[in-house]
Amino acid sequence: MPLGQPVDITYIVSPMDSPFSEYLDSGYSPSDAEIPLIKALIQQKLNAIDSIDKEINDLEDSLAARKARRKANKIFIRKHQALIAPIKRLPPDILSTVFLACLPAIECPETAMTPNHPAVVISQVCHHWRQLAFDTPLLWSRIQLILPNVNCNPYYPPGEAERVTEETAALFDSFIQRLFDAATIWLNRSKGCPLSIYMEATESAAGGFVTSHLKILEGSVLMGLGKLVSLLLAESKRWEQVKFKLAAIGNDPKSQLSRLLFLTPQDVPILRKASIVISPLEVLETPMIPGVESEATRFWYGIAMGTIHGQALQSLTLACPKAATKLKALQVNWGGLTELSLRPYMWGSARKGGTHLTTDEALDFLRLCPNLRRCNLALGNGSLLTNWGAPLPARYSSTMPSAVAPGQGDRPVCRLPYLHSLILREDSGRTDGLASALDLPSLRSFTQISSAYPPPVGFPPSYSDPEVERAWISGIPLVEWVQRFGHTITSIDFKHAGAPQHTFEKCLEDLPNLISLTIRSTFSTSWDMSSSWGLASGSDSFLKRLTPEVIEDGDAVTVAPGCLCPKLEDLALSCFSASVPVQLVFNEAVVLEFLTGRAKASLETVPEVSRVSKLRYISVGFANPKVVDIEQELLRRGFNLEGFVGEWGYPDPPKPRSYLQHPQISDFAMDDFSK
């Protein structure tokens, strides 16, 4: 269009459809006649924008209105769906059972008596649920009391001791009051139903130092503990389950926590389950010397612990500073126990002494409990082990009773017809001879945990000498247990650092019905202390013994004999622990071969006579960083992983070495530069 001629601007639609398009973004200077036309074009577009903005606003208002109507309809639907929700139709007794299923275990943090407790949350849903929650006293029957350990450092800065102590005492008093109020509410709402109580508390701030400012703190701690203990004792007839972890000053009449142990059988008529772990706090007692009884030791020996003498008691867990002979004298209803966990130790000290329960003493307790179903015993000779299992110096040897008494063959057999789970922890003793003295026809689950490790130098021993081999093999009491009970055992949990692999494999050969296997320590072939922590070479040959050899001949599939544990379903081999310097680790290729072999050998096309059980769970650690995604590789090979759970442990990748590091310059050095 030639310049200077009239232009009908109404036909312009596109933003760039302009008679001046060829001059846009150039140095062209319009004439005086063209300027009004350009202004008219601009105004036209401004008017168009206003019109468009109005349309947008109208559309947005319309969209917002539609969104609001949609939201209102969704709320309408949700509220009306709630009216016909299945849970609304549940009768109150079923609904209260659902409420009870929401309660966590008594030790869990979620059981703390706070606004986040499940019972409180349930009671705030609606009026009906609130009333039902209040009418379900079992919802409020779990009392958890976990008290803080008060810092009683007597060496405060000058002039600060009194202020800090008073502030600490005030904080403790406030905490105790909140806990007391919550416990009172829970006890009231639980009405008259049986109680489960969990308490962790210490009297560490109430003993030891006797400075003037700590007297304030001591009074606050003892008063607060006494307040809570009195509240619990007032309801002792309702105790059904108690779990106490107490650090108490037993030889001091001021002790409040010890009052929990001094009840009579009449005070706890329905107490069915008791777990009591006592750590004495006589921090200024004489050193721990085996065979030398301190005043505190004699005090704990004399405590009758009548709280656990009730005739209703069925489950007892006890770890306390009493020798086994003193424990046996307690008037516990041993014959009524179905669960027993026992760890007596010797000395009254802030640090626990050695476990003191010999094989013969363990047998004495077992004979008292013919109805046991589950048992957990810690065996020891009263000594303390060094890092590598060496006993205390020889000067103490004359005072330490042996964990294995002579004349083992003369022991009468103890029959426990109902015992199906047995856990033995060898703190410093041995279980030799114990298996031969037991008759356990129902034993299914066996756990053996040894705390000792082989020496780091010159280990493993050479097996070329038969005498050396026999001596080391005899150090694994699992052999004796498998020989005696292997035909009934279906679950093994084992830790014996440096055990010979071939010996353990021989044990597995005698466990034809094994379903679950857990190994918590490495074998002697991997016990190489020169390796980096946690990166020892794996016992791949052991996993190969568990791998079936599948023979495929056309459509016919068979499994060669010789595979260990054909009924195995659960396998845990990656039990990483900071206390074990060498870990049991494997290579990815060997693990894949094991899983593939097990999967093929468990198919229904395999004859039942040679078919192995389908693996449900595996936990394994690897020697090297991750290269292959195990589960994706199994899927790629066509295996069905439904119902299978795998946990894989890989070492952390090495951190790149930095040759240029941030300089470490102290403040006083910087001050020199600022002057």
Side-chain angles (χ1 to χ4, degrees):
M1 179 180 298
L3 296 177
Q5 294 185 4
V7 179
D8 185 5
I9 61 175
T10 59
Y11 80 95
I12 300 176
V13 177
S14 171
M16 293 296 103
D17 188 7
S18 166
F20 300 95
S21 296
E22 59 182 306
Y23 303 110
L24 298 177
D25 300 323
S26 70
Y28 176 76
S29 178
S31 64
D32 292 341
E34 294 172 331
I35 290 176
L37 178 59
I38 294 174
K39 289 183 177 180
L41 291 171
I42 293 174
Q43 185 60 46
Q44 180 194 35
K45 295 306 177 184
L46 288 174
N47 295 337
I49 289 175
D50 291 340
S51 177
I52 293 171
D53 286 341
K54 184 177 183 304
E55 292 178 7
I56 291 174
N57 291 334
D58 292 342
L59 290 174
E60 287 179 344
D61 291 343
S62 177
L63 179 62
R66 284 169 170 77
K67 285 184 175 181
R69 291 202 305 271
R70 182 179 184 275
K71 183 178 180 180
N73 283 313
K74 288 188 68 175
I75 294 174
F76 181 92
I77 292 172
R78 176 168 52 82
K79 289 183 176 294
H80 283 73
Q81 283 178 334
L83 287 176
I84 59 173
I87 199 169
K88 293 269 192 179
R89 301 172 61 85
L90 292 178
D93 56 336
I94 302 298
L95 188 56
S96 63
T97 303
V98 174
F99 291 169
L100 292 174
C102 298
L103 294 179
I106 186 68
E107 304 92 343
C108 293
E110 293 79 7
T111 314
M113 297 177 293
T114 68
N116 295 325
H117 188 281
V120 178
V121 174
I122 288 171
S123 68
Q124 295 175 347
V125 172
C126 64
H127 175 75
H128 172 58
W129 280 28
R130 181 178 182 82
Q131 191 58 49
L132 185 58
F134 291 160
D135 291 339
T136 308
L138 283 176
L139 268 180
W140 314 90
S141 64
R142 301 183 184 185
I143 311 298
Q144 185 191 89
L145 302 173
I146 300 180
L147 280 72
N149 182 21
V150 179
N151 181 8
C152 56
N153 180 12
Y155 305 110
Y156 293 113
E160 292 292 309
E162 185 173 352
R163 180 186 63 81
V164 173
T165 302
E166 289 179 352
E167 290 179 356
T168 304
L171 285 173
F172 186 79
D173 292 343
S174 175
F175 182 90
I176 289 291
Q177 188 60 48
R178 291 197 304 270
L179 203 57
F180 180 86
D181 293 341
T184 301
I185 293 173
W186 256 251
L187 290 171
N188 290 336
R189 292 181 180 177
S190 65
K191 300 177 181 177
C193 70
L195 298 175
S196 296
I197 300 172
Y198 178 76
M199 185 175 191
E200 284 188 32
T202 175
E203 294 175 331
S204 60
F209 304 99
V210 290
T211 56
S212 58
H213 63 272
L214 282 183
K215 287 295 183 182
I216 301 174
L217 197 56
E218 177 185 78
S220 178
V221 169
L222 291 178
M223 183 178 297
L225 291 177
K227 190 175 182 179
L228 291 176
V229 168
S230 297
L231 183 65
L232 295 181
L233 293 179
E235 303 289 344
S236 65
K237 292 186 182 298
R238 291 204 283 148
W239 291 4
E240 183 182 36
Q241 300 183 40
V242 297
K243 187 169 185 178
F244 296 144
K245 291 184 177 181
L246 310 176
I249 307 176
N251 60 345
D252 193 322
K254 296 180 295 185
S255 174
Q256 297 296 318
L257 296 178
S258 299
R259 296 165 55 198
L260 295 168
L261 310 176
F262 296 156
L263 300 179
T264 66
Q266 292 74 29
D267 295 325
V268 285
I270 65 170
L271 183 60
R272 182 177 55 84
K273 186 173 184 177
S275 175
I276 300 177
V277 178
I278 301 173
S279 296
L281 289 171
E282 290 75 26
V283 295
L284 301 181
E285 291 295 331
T286 57
M288 294 186 298
I289 301 177
V292 178
E293 294 185 356
S294 66
E295 179 182 350
T297 299
R298 290 190 293 272
F299 171 83
W300 286 105
Y301 280 10
I303 287 183
M305 298 181 70
T307 300
I308 59 175
H309 291 177
Q311 293 302 300
L313 193 66
Q314 298 177 1
S315 175
L316 175 62
T317 297
L318 191 58
C320 66
K322 278 178 174 284
T325 53
K326 302 296 182 181
L327 282 180
K328 196 166 58 174
L330 295 175
Q331 298 177 16
V332 175
N333 181 25
W334 301 106
L337 295 182
T338 59
E339 296 182 1
L340 175 64
S341 183
L342 206 57
R343 185 189 181 237
Y345 54 91
M346 287 196 64
W347 307 290
S349 170
R351 295 175 298 160
K352 292 181 180 179
T355 298
H356 195 292
L357 185 64
T358 67
T359 296
D360 284 323
E361 290 169 339
L363 281 171
D364 289 342
F365 278 108
L366 293 177
R367 291 190 179 97
L368 293 173
C369 309
N371 294 307
L372 284 182
R373 270 68 171 173
R374 302 171 62 89
C375 184
N376 184 340
L377 298 177
L379 300 187
N381 58 13
S383 67
L384 299 176
L385 294 180
T386 64
N387 291 338
W388 299 102
L392 284 172
R395 64 179 179 273
Y396 294 146
S397 60
S398 61
T399 62
M400 288 188 291
S402 172
V404 183
Q408 296 174 6
D410 298 334
R411 295 176 177 140
V413 174
C414 172
R415 178 176 172 82
L416 300 173
Y418 312 113
L419 187 72
H420 61 79
S421 176
L422 178 60
I423 300 175
L424 296 178
R425 302 179 183 275
E426 301 175 348
D427 283 358
S428 59
R430 294 278 294 279
T431 61
D432 305 55
L434 183 57
S436 60
L438 291 174
D439 181 12
L440 310 175
S442 302
L443 185 63
R444 297 293 181 269
S445 176
F446 180 69
T447 298
Q448 188 170 56
I449 306 295
S450 174
S451 300
Y453 302 133
V457 179
F459 187 87
S462 171
Y463 294 128
S464 59
D465 184 349
E467 293 299 325
V468 174
E469 182 175 2
R470 280 194 293 271
W472 181 244
I473 291 175
S474 66
I476 307 177
L478 180 66
V479 174
E480 180 186 13
W481 289 92
V482 170
Q483 288 174 348
R484 186 159 175 80
F485 305 109
H487 61 289
T488 64
I489 293 177
T490 60
S491 175
I492 286 284
D493 190 336
F494 177 72
K495 175 189 171 185
H496 190 102
Q501 179 178 323
H502 66 88
T503 303
F504 190 74
E505 291 175 357
K506 182 64 175 65
C507 289
L508 294 183
E509 292 176 3
D510 296 330
L511 291 164
N513 299 309
L514 194 66
I515 297 176
S516 176
L517 174 62
T518 299
I519 303 177
R520 300 181 182 273
S521 56
T522 189
F523 301 119
S524 59
T525 52
S526 300
W527 192 267
D528 180 9
M529 288 301 294
S530 63
S531 301
S532 300
W533 187 284
L535 294 179
S537 59
S539 299
D540 293 332
S541 58
F542 170 73
L543 205 55
K544 290 179 179 179
R545 288 297 312 275
L546 296 173
T547 304
E549 181 184 352
V550 180
I551 303 172
E552 297 177 295
D553 184 9
D555 294 335
V557 180
T558 58
V559 178
C563 172
L564 294 177
C565 308
K567 297 183 179 180
L568 189 66
E569 297 180 5
D570 301 325
L571 178 63
L573 298 174
S574 61
C575 304
F576 290 96
S577 170
S579 63
V580 180
V582 183
Q583 307 293 347
L584 188 65
V585 289
F586 300 86
N587 292 315
E588 282 182 333
V590 175
V591 174
L592 265 174
E593 181 184 353
F594 164 75
L595 294 173
T596 302
R598 282 275 167 174
K600 287 183 177 180
S602 64
L603 297 175
E604 293 184 358
T605 54
V606 178
E608 187 175 355
V609 66
S610 60
R611 188 188 310 159
V612 304
S613 297
K614 185 178 180 180
L615 200 66
R616 300 180 306 175
Y617 169 80
I618 184 172
S619 174
V620 63
F622 295 98
N624 301 306
K626 183 176 181 179
V627 176
V628 178
D629 188 315
I630 299 289
E631 296 186 25
Q632 288 299 321
E633 179 61 22
L634 290 174
L635 289 173
R636 190 188 68 79
R637 297 184 184 186
F639 294 107
N640 182 10
L641 299 185
E642 183 179 358
F644 173 78
V645 176
E647 294 183 358
W648 323 108
Y650 287 92
D652 295 330
K655 295 181 179 179
R657 184 173 181 179
S658 175
Y659 294 93
L660 295 177
Q661 299 180 351
H662 190 277
Q664 301 294 323
I665 304 176
S666 63
D667 291 339
F668 72 87
M670 294 301 296
D671 290 341
D672 293 336
F673 288 98
S674 62
K675 292 179 181 178

